[in-house]
Amino acid sequence: MEIDPDALLDEIEGEFDDEYADLGELEASLQNLVDKKTLKWIFVGGKGGVGKTTSSCCVATLLAANRESVLIISTDPAHNLSDAFSQKFTGEPTLVKGFDNLYAMEIDPSQQPEEKEILGSAADQKFFKELMHSIPGIDEAMGFAEVMKLVQSMQFDVIVFDTAPTGHTLRLLSFPSVLDKGLGKIMELKNKFSGMFSQVQSMFQGGGMDINPDDMQSKMEHTKRVIEEVNQQFKNPDLTTFVCVCIPEFLSLYETERLVQELTKFQINVDNIIINQILFPDKNTTCGFCKARVNMQRKYINQIADLYEDFHVTKLPLLKHEIRGNEDLKEFSRHMLEPYEPKWEAGTSCNDDLK
């Protein structure tokens, strides 16, 4: 079945018209994010290739100038934080060069259970491996739990998540609920079959392996409490928000709308959208390609403005150079607070730069 992009966007737009008809235009910047001192968790996400890492690094840079301590975490298996800051990062928080309160780390939640002993001893993990895998998503969720326990223990003022593309991000945000249910089932089984657990314990101890169900349950209960607390914080708009990043094209706009709807189901606050890679051609340019791209982008920018009247919509430019290193990130982050004003070069063509 062929999809008409214009008809689909008109349908989506119509759903919002009545609900937000009386709302005034909000500030087109991320100043609201910087000013909200209660925020502890800030997720930055969107479709692949829209500039999520650059945006999240710039957000972290802005926050570092206004908050006591900031941690930026990449949860994308294809990490780019090291490239953005021109500095190597690992699975442990590392101070970003040029800052005294901004730290960065790159983690893969799906790999954490193999590296961390969440349930205690190696014997505990071996015994429960098959049981855990019988619960869909519990392995990655346990990795997420370990990351959250680590982050919670460090007491950072605010944590920025540079997330993977939309599908992976939604899976990540579902982990607290998955883990809460999964650990609940495991603990329920332990209580229901406590006699069997005791027999298994003596059997394994006879083979030289130390399994202590009570100790294991204590660790799981602690992990469950941490996840319950994180889950409640994620649903608190004073503590958590999501920043959607998109570009002015149909597929990106369509995926942004899907992301916003899913975040609403998760009860996660979202009221900031970044439109990235907006083309500002030189004034009076003779480049037909640029004019065509500008007209196409203008169409989707206007649709975003109509569709998200109750959001802070920040517009960021497509620059002629890459944004890499602290100075570039600091400079580019200014456009998140102040509208971008291009420096026109009259009467030029894009082809002139290629000669």
Side-chain angles (χ1 to χ4, degrees):
M1 179 180 178
E2 187 176 350
I3 297 177
D4 183 350
D6 293 332
L8 181 58
L9 288 171
D10 288 341
E11 181 181 346
I12 295 173
E13 181 179 336
E15 296 176 0
F16 284 78
D17 284 344
D18 295 335
E19 185 174 356
Y20 301 119
D22 297 330
L23 292 175
E25 185 176 350
L26 298 180
E27 183 181 20
S29 77
L30 294 185
Q31 188 65 53
N32 68 98
L33 205 68
V34 176
D35 292 341
K36 197 169 183 179
K37 305 297 184 182
T38 59
L39 284 175
K40 182 175 179 61
W41 313 96
I42 299 176
F43 292 86
V44 180
K47 188 177 182 294
V50 298
K52 296 185 298 296
T53 296
T54 298
S55 297
S56 61
C57 290
C58 287
V59 168
T61 299
L62 289 174
L63 292 171
N66 294 272
R67 302 289 287 268
E68 185 175 339
S69 59
V70 181
L71 173 66
I72 179 170
I73 301 177
S74 171
T75 60
D76 188 343
H79 301 300
N80 291 308
L81 287 186
S82 296
D83 296 326
F85 283 108
S86 298
Q87 178 183 345
K88 181 62 178 176
F89 299 115
T90 64
E92 299 293 332
T94 303
L95 184 65
V96 178
K97 294 177 182 177
F99 295 87
D100 58 8
N101 66 337
L102 175 58
Y103 296 79
M105 62 186 290
E106 297 177 332
I107 58 100
D108 182 357
S110 65
Q111 299 301 316
Q112 292 296 318
E114 298 178 2
E115 302 168 4
K116 306 289 185 180
E117 294 189 355
I118 300 171
L119 296 177
S121 68
D124 293 343
Q125 286 190 312
K126 183 177 180 180
F127 178 69
F128 271 89
K129 185 176 182 180
E130 293 301 323
L131 179 59
M132 287 173 57
H133 286 181
S134 68
I135 303 173
I138 190 66
D139 50 350
E140 290 179 279
M142 290 296 285
F144 177 80
E146 184 65 15
V147 172
M148 290 298 98
K149 286 166 64 178
L150 175 65
V151 171
Q152 287 279 68
S153 67
M154 292 177 183
Q155 298 298 314
F156 284 97
D157 194 25
V158 59
I159 296 95
V160 179
F161 285 87
D162 173 36
T163 67
T166 305
H168 294 282
T169 299
L170 294 176
R171 183 173 176 81
L172 176 72
L173 294 174
S174 71
F175 284 167
S177 296
V178 170
L179 189 61
D180 190 25
K181 294 177 182 177
L183 287 179
K185 288 183 179 179
I186 293 175
M187 293 164 62
E188 182 181 338
L189 285 173
K190 192 269 177 187
N191 294 330
K192 189 173 182 179
F193 301 103
S194 56
M196 184 191 71
F197 272 68
S198 299
Q199 294 178 8
V200 171
Q201 178 187 9
S202 59
M203 180 180 66
F204 272 89
Q205 285 175 337
M209 298 179 68
D210 183 20
I211 293 181
N212 188 330
D214 292 331
D215 182 55
M216 194 161 21
Q217 179 170 355
S218 175
K219 295 182 188 308
M220 286 192 292
E221 287 177 345
H222 172 67
T223 300
K224 194 171 185 292
R225 284 195 299 269
V226 170
I227 290 305
E228 286 175 346
E229 180 183 350
V230 169
N231 203 15
Q232 290 301 315
Q233 290 185 8
F234 279 6
K235 295 179 180 179
N236 186 339
D238 292 329
L239 299 176
T240 304
T241 192
F242 199 106
V243 179
C244 296
V245 183
C246 66
I247 57 177
E249 295 181 5
F250 170 73
L251 289 179
S252 181
L253 174 54
Y254 180 69
E255 189 152 327
T256 298
E257 172 57 21
R258 182 171 74 92
L259 177 59
V260 169
Q261 291 182 359
E262 290 297 321
L263 291 171
T264 302
K265 292 180 182 178
F266 285 125
Q267 299 180 335
I268 295 178
N269 176 70
V270 51
D271 53 16
N272 279 281
I273 292 179
I274 293 175
I275 310 178
N276 201 14
Q277 302 179 20
I278 298 177
L279 185 61
F280 290 89
D282 295 328
K283 192 174 183 180
N284 300 323
T285 180
T286 58
C287 175
F289 175 81
C290 291
K291 291 181 179 179
R293 294 291 297 180
V294 167
N295 289 333
M296 183 271 291
Q297 288 192 345
R298 182 182 296 116
K299 167 186 172 183
Y300 291 111
I301 291 172
N302 290 337
Q303 289 177 339
I304 291 172
D306 292 339
L307 185 59
Y308 299 106
E309 291 179 335
D310 63 324
F311 285 64
H312 298 273
V313 179
T314 304
K315 303 179 182 68
L316 298 180
L318 175 65
L319 301 182
K320 293 182 178 180
H321 60 83
E322 291 182 303
I323 303 170
R324 291 194 64 191
N326 293 351
E327 294 306 315
D328 282 354
L329 290 170
K330 288 179 181 178
E331 178 66 21
F332 192 68
S333 67
R334 293 193 305 107
H335 305 315
M336 292 182 165
L337 302 181
E338 303 171 3
Y340 173 70
E341 296 182 3
K343 297 179 181 179
W344 300 112
E345 297 178 17
T348 61
S349 169
C350 292
N351 294 328
D352 294 340
D353 296 332
L354 302 178
K355 294 179 180 178

